[in-house]
Amino acid sequence: MANLIEVKKLSKTYYSDEEVATPVLHDISFMVEEDEFVAIMGPSGSGKSTLLHILGFLDDQTSGSYRFNGKRMEDYTEPEVAHIRNKDMGFVFQAFNLLARTSVYENVMLTLLYSDVPQNEWDRRVRQAIEDVDLTHRIDYDVSHLSGGEKQRVAIARALVNTPRVIFADEPTGNLDSKSGQKIMEILQHLNEEHNHTIILITHETTTAEHARRIIRVADGHIVGDHKVHRHLKAVEDFKK
């Protein structure tokens, strides 16, 4: 299977206005194949969110290389980067980032306003994405009336609507109770197993990471572990209950 993401000897250092250096990532190397579900796991301050920002074209590395779909990050033009982030990448964050005082349907449709998807396709795509996260019964609800778990499911639907090649999920269960968090992870696992979405999950929780098929452990900006997860594949049955 082809590598969607290739990272080689990637490092990231931030500099203050006084040119004080703060190294965050050190010689990171790994690859992610199409259709993988990878959890990048580590404690707060380990560099995992910085790594996700680089993978999602939200930040640049200081040294080393990052290839997405076989092409180096720095070789993409700005319009190409904008297109990739809209079409090939979906983002789910801990804080939901939904548009207040609008419906579930409108929040999911928002992504399509900046896409090249024909307008006559929008309704079908929005309804399908909402169905994929089991929220059809809430489609016309104002998002402010939803629970935290339901809001995160809207955020996942919004990430899905452009049928991205990879979904980046940064601590998606961080603001949720354990039951709601379990539901979110079942949905992500279902999207990977049944719809072949590549998923890269950022988390500090072992129970969350174990829904992935592979866990990359990060500590103090270094990769300290990378192993496959032999989990039972029951997410599809759980999701459909």
Side-chain angles (χ1 to χ4, degrees), residues 17-34:
D17 292 338
E18 293 78 24
E19 292 299 309
V20 176
T22 303
V24 179
L25 298 173
H26 311 273
D27 281 339
I28 299 286
S29 296
F30 65 92
M31 299 180 185
V32 176
E33 293 182 348
E34 197 99 42

Side-chain angles (χ1 to χ4, degrees), residues 19-86:
E19 292 299 309
V20 176
T22 303
V24 179
L25 298 173
H26 311 273
D27 281 339
I28 299 286
S29 296
F30 65 92
M31 299 180 185
V32 176
E33 293 182 348
E34 197 99 42
D35 303 342
E36 273 199 275
F37 187 167
V38 179
I40 299 175
M41 182 182 171
S44 177
S46 60
K48 59 187 186 297
S49 289
T50 297
L51 178 56
L52 180 139
H53 289 165
I54 293 171
L55 298 180
F57 288 8
L58 300 169
D59 201 353
D60 301 319
Q61 73 269 25
T62 304
S63 62
S65 70
Y66 167 36
R67 290 179 180 269
F68 181 81
N69 198 30
K71 186 173 178 179
R72 293 191 313 162
M73 181 183 188
E74 53 267 36
D75 290 339
Y76 284 105
T77 65
E78 287 189 16
E80 286 174 334
V81 168
H83 179 79
I84 288 170
R85 291 191 63 242
N86 180 266

Side-chain angles (χ1 to χ4, degrees), residues 79-194:
E80 286 174 334
V81 168
H83 179 79
I84 288 170
R85 291 191 63 242
N86 180 266
K87 176 67 180 72
D88 292 335
M89 298 176 175
F91 296 88
V92 180
F93 297 103
Q94 181 176 339
F96 316 137
N97 296 336
L98 301 180
L99 193 63
R101 295 183 294 280
T102 56
S103 70
V104 170
Y105 183 98
E106 290 167 324
N107 265 277
V108 176
M109 187 179 69
L110 202 60
T111 306
L112 294 173
L113 298 176
Y114 307 98
S115 75
D116 55 7
V117 176
Q119 193 166 353
N120 60 7
E121 273 282 297
W122 289 7
D123 183 70
R124 182 191 65 79
R125 286 203 181 203
V126 171
R127 292 180 184 279
Q128 182 62 58
I130 292 171
E131 181 182 334
D132 286 342
V133 299
D134 195 25
L135 271 185
T136 299
H137 61 298
R138 296 280 193 262
I139 193 167
D140 294 319
Y141 273 49
D142 186 313
V143 293
S144 63
H145 298 156
L146 302 180
S147 67
E150 288 173 330
K151 288 177 181 177
Q152 193 60 290
R153 284 151 68 183
V154 176
I156 294 172
R158 185 182 56 194
L160 280 175
V161 75
N162 268 340
T163 60
R165 297 179 70 181
V166 57
I167 296 172
F168 294 109
D170 192 356
E171 299 281 7
T173 63
N175 284 335
L176 307 178
D177 60 63
S178 58
K179 184 177 180 179
S180 298
Q182 174 70 15
K183 180 69 171 180
I184 292 303
M185 293 315 303
E186 288 172 3
I187 288 171
L188 290 176
Q189 195 172 327
H190 172 76
L191 293 173
N192 173 251
E193 293 170 7
E194 295 296 292

